[in-house]
Amino acid sequence: MAEAENKISAEEAAEFAEFKKSRREAEYALALGKLVADASMPMLGDAALKGVCESAKRCALYGVLVSPVRVAAAKKMLGASGVRVLCLAGGTGESLPAVKRAEVRRAVRQGAREIYLFPCRSALAEGREGYLKREVKSVRRAAKKTPVMLVLGGLPPAQVALGARAARESGAEGVCVRQDEFLSAVEGGAGRLRIDALCAESVQSLEACVRMGAMRVCTPCPEHLTELMQRELLSEPPAALKK
């Protein structure tokens, strides 16, 4: 009788271990499906961009973020992998709306699936909400059905809140902010919009952003972050911890 009970106990332990392994694998896949590799840096050459795209395909990331001049190249490199091309448009934010519209229109035509837009920084600093709304609406029309996200990371809380309000009232899909700016974005009304997170560089940062409701998480170091996740989520615990 005791032997039968021990056998059942061992079987149950094996089933539980398999359940935990499956759950870790599901968490890992879910996290990868939220990650966007940031390849928008001006100094990034063709070889480096190809490396980022290959890594994104290998890890099944959500997408790769590039500048307007790299959209066509990234689209070709990613091919039919299912990894999306996202475009960071608007320059420093101080470009004229007509320039931003032209950038966005071309990016969409070349295959960008989402637009991350730098809104006018001086309008944010000066509280010119009307200008911001008109700018976003004009870019949205140029993007047609392609989602437009306002990039508000690195700004003072009042400007993040203002940008979030302008995004909500002008029909943008959402906003992109850093982890410590989520509250300011929500206070501005972004709680009703999609919120993407910027600059995640650790598993803890990624997990925190997801807990706070980030739909996508942009990272400048996707390879490093996926390696960390593999170690933390998929590796077997030491024998001492299994007991």
Side-chain angles (χ1 to χ4, degrees), residues 48-180:
L49 176 62
K50 184 176 180 180
V52 173
C53 290
E54 290 300 321
S55 175
K57 288 192 290 185
R58 186 168 57 252
C59 298
L61 303 188
Y62 177 80
V64 175
L65 179 67
V66 297
S67 65
V69 297
R70 297 285 191 176
V71 171
K75 177 69 174 175
K76 184 177 180 181
M77 291 173 184
L78 292 170
S81 64
V83 180
R84 301 155 186 81
V85 179
L86 288 70
C87 178
L88 180 63
T92 62
E94 295 304 285
S95 303
L96 292 170
V99 175
K100 294 181 180 181
R101 288 197 301 270
E103 274 191 345
V104 168
R105 196 176 292 116
R106 181 177 180 183
V108 170
R109 197 163 55 239
Q110 292 181 333
R113 297 283 295 277
E114 296 183 15
I115 300 296
Y116 277 20
L117 176 71
F118 273 122
C120 180
R121 291 303 199 246
S122 58
L124 282 165
E126 296 164 5
R128 290 185 282 134
E129 189 171 347
Y131 181 94
L132 291 168
K133 291 178 184 177
R134 289 192 297 274
E135 178 182 68
V136 176
K137 286 179 181 177
S138 70
V139 170
R140 277 189 55 251
R141 286 194 294 270
K144 297 183 178 179
K145 294 183 180 180
T146 304
V148 174
M149 305 285 294
L150 264 62
V151 179
L152 303 173
L155 297 176
Q159 292 183 33
V160 173
L162 173 60
R165 187 163 63 250
R168 176 171 56 85
E169 295 180 5
S170 57
E173 184 79 10
V175 298
C176 310
V177 296
R178 299 175 188 270
Q179 179 185 336
D180 59 349

Side-chain angles (χ1 to χ4, degrees), residues 1 6 15-16 59 63 97 111 185 198 200 227 229 232:
M1 184 69 176
N6 288 337
E15 288 178 359
F16 184 59
C59 298
L198 300 170
E227 288 175 1
M229 285 193 293
E232 294 190 23

